[in-house]
Amino acid sequence: MFKPVRQRLVRTHPVTGRKSLYLSSHAGAILGMPVPEARMLLKDLTDHATQPRFVYVHKWTLHDLVMWDNRQTMHRARPFPAHEPRDMRRTTLMSEGPTAAQEQA
């Protein structure tokens, strides 16, 4: 329902200098590539990045606090029992700006 937003596929962390792939379930195209090939590449990259050896699954216990850097982490919410409430708070800090030049509306 929203207009697509261009993002860099490869990002460099501004502090550590480490490179990471920006993969998400709503990514559907790569600039300069035919859509079918781009979607296949995105699927292959996602399949690689989500291998069990690269995935952290948190086993919740009382009073746990989990934090992550959204700039280089893929994350998904998982179902949990209704009798085990979660308190999620998001903090967004100003960064260096968009990862790709955005078109003006």
Side-chain angles (χ1 to χ4, degrees):
M1 292 178 12
F2 298 103
K3 280 182 72 174
V5 175
R6 287 178 32 196
Q7 299 285 345
R8 290 187 187 279
L9 181 58
V10 178
R11 295 178 170 192
T12 302
H13 194 282
V15 176
T16 66
R18 291 183 67 184
K19 293 190 181 303
S20 66
L21 294 171
Y22 180 76
L23 300 169
S24 64
S25 59
H26 54 273
I30 297 175
L31 203 60
M33 277 185 97
V35 171
E37 286 87 346
R39 288 190 175 161
M40 199 58 164
L41 176 58
L42 290 166
K43 181 191 177 314
D44 290 346
L45 292 170
T46 300
D47 288 348
H48 177 77
T50 57
Q51 292 176 71
R53 64 185 172 138
F54 300 131
V55 174
Y56 171 77
V57 177
H58 190 75
K59 307 291 188 215
W60 290 96
T61 61
L62 190 60
H63 305 299
D64 278 356
L65 170 68
V66 177
M67 297 173 70
W68 61 87
D69 185 340
N70 254 10
R71 295 173 292 187
Q72 292 194 297
T73 304
M74 290 172 48
H75 56 279
R76 291 280 182 270
R78 308 281 293 189
F80 59 89
H83 69 279
E84 298 178 6
R86 305 288 192 263
D87 180 3
M88 180 173 169
R89 299 172 192 217
R90 177 181 173 151
T91 300
T92 303
L93 305 174
M94 182 174 234
S95 188
E96 289 70 37
T99 62
Q102 305 298 314
E103 293 181 24
Q104 299 300 317

